[in-house]
Amino acid sequence: MTTVSSAIGAGVSAQSRNMQLAMAALLGLFFVGILGFSQMEVVHNAAHDYRHSMAFPCH
């Protein structure tokens, strides 16, 4: 019974990791995509400066 419970725990951990990666990717797409094309100049400039600081080509 111990073997079964540890195998189930490993599956939950992998599922949790995949969910975390998916949410991080969505958050990144939100910041780069939505905020980068924002009509508000302050928000756009902040996203633009961040892209440059992370060496993300945008020009």
Side-chain angles (χ1 to χ4, degrees), residues 2-45:
T2 304
T3 306
V4 172
S5 64
S6 64
I8 292 171
V12 172
S13 177
Q15 182 182 11
S16 175
R17 183 182 58 209
N18 290 338
M19 179 61 83
Q20 291 174 9
L21 288 172
M23 294 305 290
L26 286 173
L27 184 62
L29 286 174
F30 172 75
F31 280 127
V32 172
I34 304 299
L35 297 180
F37 294 111
S38 175
Q39 296 300 316
M40 293 174 42
E41 188 173 347
V42 173
V43 175
H44 173 80
N45 288 340

